[in-house]
Amino acid sequence: MEKGKDFTQFTSAVAWLSHAFMSLFFCFAGLLQINDPDPHVWLPVYIIAALLSALTCMQRNEVRYISFIYGTFCLVWGISIFLDLPSTSSYGEIFSFEEGRELGGLLIIAFEMFLSCASLFSTNKLINFLFLLSAAFALVAIVLGIFLPAHLSL
C-alpha cells in the first residue's frame, strides 16, 4: 500500500474517533444543562453540536459547511460574552463566573466545528494532532464528569 494512502486512512480513523468522542462529550454537557438556570438556551446549543459532530463522524461533507457556520456563531457569541465579563485580576478567575463557563463551552464547540471543517481541506500532521488533542480532551472530560462528582460528595 502507498504511504500517502496509509496516512489518509490513519487520518480518517483519528478524525472519526475525535468526532465520536466530541459528540458524546456534547451530549454529556447537554445533560448537565438540565440543572442550569437557563437550560432552554444551553441544552439546544450542546445538542446541535453533538448532532453536527455525529454527522461529521459519518463523513457527511455537506454538514461541515453547516459546522463552519455554527462554529462562527458560537465564536461570535463567546466573544460577546467575553466582552461583557466582569473585569478580573487574572484569566483563571474567568471560570468562577457562570458567564465564564458559558464562554468556555462556546469556545470548545467552535473549536470542534472548525476542526471538522479543517479536515475537509487538509489531512496533515497538525490536523491529526488537533484531532488527538480533541479526542483526549473529550475522553478526560467525560471520565471526570462521571467519576469526579461522586468523589466530591464524600
Side-chain angles (χ1 to χ4, degrees):
M1 219 180 246
E2 297 174 32
K3 184 178 180 181
K5 195 170 187 178
D6 288 342
F7 185 74
T8 302
Q9 289 175 341
F10 173 74
T11 300
S12 294
V14 171
W16 186 90
L17 184 69
S18 171
H19 295 308
F21 278 145
M22 288 306 288
S23 184
L24 288 172
F25 169 74
F26 291 137
C27 287
F28 184 69
L31 287 174
L32 292 177
Q33 300 306 312
I34 293 172
N35 292 331
D36 202 62
D38 50 359
H40 59 283
V41 174
W42 293 103
L43 185 60
V45 168
Y46 284 109
I47 296 304
I48 291 169
L51 288 172
L52 289 173
S53 290
L55 289 172
T56 301
C57 200
M58 295 178 204
Q59 297 181 350
R60 302 291 305 250
N61 286 340
E62 60 275 0
V63 172
R64 293 179 180 174
Y65 299 107
I66 298 168
S67 295
F68 178 78
I69 293 168
Y70 192 63
T72 303
F73 169 76
C74 289
L75 182 62
V76 169
W77 190 3
I79 290 170
S80 72
I81 288 175
F82 178 76
L83 295 174
D84 287 339
L85 281 174
S87 52
T88 60
S89 59
S90 73
Y91 288 112
E93 293 177 11
I94 288 175
F95 297 107
S96 64
F97 300 104
E98 174 74 16
E99 295 83 5
R101 292 185 292 275
E102 292 169 350
L103 167 66
L106 290 170
L107 293 179
I108 292 168
I109 292 170
F111 177 78
E112 167 64 11
M113 297 299 110
F114 292 142
L115 188 57
S116 70
C117 296
S119 66
L120 183 61
F121 303 109
S122 175
T123 57
N124 66 26
K125 292 180 182 180
L126 175 63
I127 296 297
N128 276 339
F129 173 74
L130 293 174
F131 277 133
L132 288 172
L133 187 67
S134 177
F137 166 80
L139 186 61
V140 168
I142 291 168
V143 169
L144 288 178
I146 291 171
F147 296 111
L148 194 59
H151 295 292
L152 291 176
S153 64
L154 293 176

